[in-house]
Amino acid sequence: MPLYEYHCEPCNDRFEVLRPMSKGNDPATCPTCGGAGRRVLSVFAAVTAGGSGEGPMPIAGGGGACCGGGGCGCH
């Protein structure tokens, strides 16, 4: 099951809910105030070890396809 992120307008809280894909767009009950939270776009970052041993380096985010942060080599 996917993890969805929600925002509650009344208390301005952001929270996550693990639920089936078929319920992803349904409002979710806010654990702070009990209000109805609406789904928002989740943002995440991935980190990998640097090639030169310099430590962790962020992986470029992108549009998911060619020239969106991938290693396709196009410019």
Side-chain angles (χ1 to χ4, degrees):
M1 274 193 282
L3 187 63
Y4 294 102
E5 189 171 348
Y6 296 85
H7 176 254
C8 177
E9 290 284 333
C11 71
N12 202 34
D13 191 20
R14 287 180 88 100
F15 58 96
E16 297 173 335
V17 178
L18 185 66
R19 55 180 14 180
M21 290 176 66
S22 62
K23 303 281 186 187
N25 290 325
D26 293 352
T29 303
C30 174
T32 303
C33 74
R38 70 180 166 87
R39 187 173 163 202
V40 295
L41 179 63
S42 297
V43 181
F44 69 94
V47 178
T48 183
S52 61
E54 298 169 358
M57 295 178 60
I59 296 174
C66 185
C67 296
C72 67
C74 65
H75 299 288

